[in-house]
Amino acid sequence: MSVAIPQELVERLAAAHRVAVLTGAGISAESGIPTFRDALTGLWARYDPQELATPEGFARNPKLVWEWYAARRASIAGVQPNPGHAALAALEKRFEQFTLVTQNIDSLHQRAGSREVVELHGNIARVKCSIEQIIVSDFPADESPPRCPCGAFLRPDVVWFGEMLPAEALAKAEAAAEQCEVFLSIGTSAQVYPAAELPLRALSAGATVVEINPERTALSRHVHFALQGSAGAILPQLLQELRRVA
Ligand code: OAD
C-alpha cells in the first residue's frame, strides 16, 4: 500500500547535506524478525526480558540466556534484508553525511550494503567475555555457555537492560542527531533510552524530524512528518520521490 509522501518533506530531504537515521526492530519485521513490543508477536510479550536481557538474568541462568541468543542468532542467519534496508543503503550514497544509527543487533543493514552503521545495542553475531568485555571469536561450540580463556562465561555482545551503551557509538549518534538537517526515526517504539532521546535532540537542534511506523508512538506528536506505514514500502517510495527531484 502506498502512502502519500508530502512534497515539502521530499524537498527538505533533497536540499539536505546531513541526514541521520535511527532504526529499530520494525525495519527488520518485514524480513521475518519479531519486534519486541508487539502485543501478540513481540519477543517481550512471549519472554521475560528480566530473565533474558539483564546481567542479573544471565548470572542466574547462563545456560538459558546463552541458548536463547544462540537460537535467535540461528534464526537471524536465515533471513534476508528487505526493501527498507536496501533503500537506506541507497540513500546513504546520496548525502555528504549520512549516519545510520541502529538499535538492531541483526547486521541486516550491513548485509543490505550500508557502509557506516552505528550499532547502539551491539551485535548478536559477536561474543564477548562477561568479565573482561573483550571480543572472543574462537570458542568451543558445544558448551552452553562456553568459557573465556580467563575462566569467565562468554556472552553475546549485546546491550542488556541496566548496561551502558558503547560510548563511542553513542557519541557518534548524538553528534549526528545534533548536526543533521533531516532525522528519520524508523520502526522504533521510541521507548528505550538513550536511543529514544536522539530524535528529540535532533528536534531541539532544529532538524526536520520524520517518523516511519505503521503505529503512532511516543514520538509521533513531536515530529514534523509522521508517515504511517511499513518501512519496506515507504522507504523505497521516498527514495523514488527523491530521485525524481534531485
Ligand atoms: P519495539 O518492538 O519496541 O518497536 C518496534 C516498532 O516497530 C513498533 O513501534 C512497531 O509499530 C514498528 N513496526 C512494526 N512493523 C514495522 C514495519 N514494517 N515498518 C516500520 N515499523 C514497524 O522495538 P525497538 O523500538 O527497536 O533493546 O526496541 C528498542 C529496544 O528495546 C531494542 O533494541 C531492544 C528492546 O528491548 C535491548 O534488548 C537492549
Side-chain angles (χ1 to χ4, degrees), residues 19-78:
V19 173
V21 180
L22 172 67
T23 63
I27 192 151
S28 295
E30 289 160 88
S31 293
I33 301 178
T35 62
F36 294 95
R37 291 176 183 77
D38 185 276
L40 294 176
T41 60
L43 289 177
W44 298 155
R46 293 181 288 145
Y47 301 98
D48 182 356
Q50 290 306 318
E51 293 307 318
L52 295 164
T54 63
E56 297 77 19
F58 183 64
R60 274 194 295 275
N61 199 339
K63 181 173 159 63
L64 174 83
V65 175
W66 177 266
E67 288 177 355
W68 192 69
Y69 282 92
R72 279 184 70 201
R73 194 178 293 124
S75 71
I76 286 170

Side-chain angles (χ1 to χ4, degrees), residues 24-26 29-30 35-37 44 103 121 159 161 187-189 192 212-215 217 230-231:
E30 289 160 88
T35 62
F36 294 95
R37 291 176 183 77
W44 298 155
Q103 298 164 86
H121 292 168
V159 176
F161 291 106
T188 175
S189 61
V192 174
I212 300 176
N213 197 311
E215 310 284 338
T217 72
S230 82

Side-chain angles (χ1 to χ4, degrees), residues 51-140:
E51 293 307 318
L52 295 164
T54 63
E56 297 77 19
F58 183 64
R60 274 194 295 275
N61 199 339
K63 181 173 159 63
L64 174 83
V65 175
W66 177 266
E67 288 177 355
W68 192 69
Y69 282 92
R72 279 184 70 201
R73 194 178 293 124
S75 71
I76 286 170
V79 308
Q80 298 303 324
N82 66 56
H85 296 107
L88 284 177
L91 274 178
E92 180 176 27
K93 302 199 180 98
R94 298 185 71 89
F95 297 97
E96 247 166 71
Q97 200 177 307
F98 185 90
T99 309
L100 174 52
V101 180
T102 189
Q103 298 164 86
N104 299 343
I105 57 176
D106 56 26
S107 301
L108 288 183
H109 286 305
Q110 292 91 331
R111 287 176 54 201
S114 285
R115 282 169 304 196
E116 293 258 350
V117 183
V118 178
E119 293 179 322
L120 284 184
H121 292 168
N123 191 306
I124 197 168
R126 290 191 303 263
V127 164
K128 68 178 181 182
C129 172
S130 57
I131 300 290
E132 299 168 307
Q133 305 296 325
I134 50 168
I135 303 298
V136 177
S137 46
D138 215 11
F139 53 84

Side-chain angles (χ1 to χ4, degrees), residues 140-179:
D142 54 345
E143 290 173 25
S144 221
R147 286 186 188 267
C148 177
C150 82
F153 283 134
L154 296 177
R155 54 163 280 185
D157 183 25
V158 298
V159 176
W160 284 332
F161 291 106
E163 293 185 319
M164 302 288 282
L165 272 60
E168 199 183 321
L170 183 59
K172 265 194 201 169
E174 287 174 346
E178 280 161 11
Q179 290 161 13

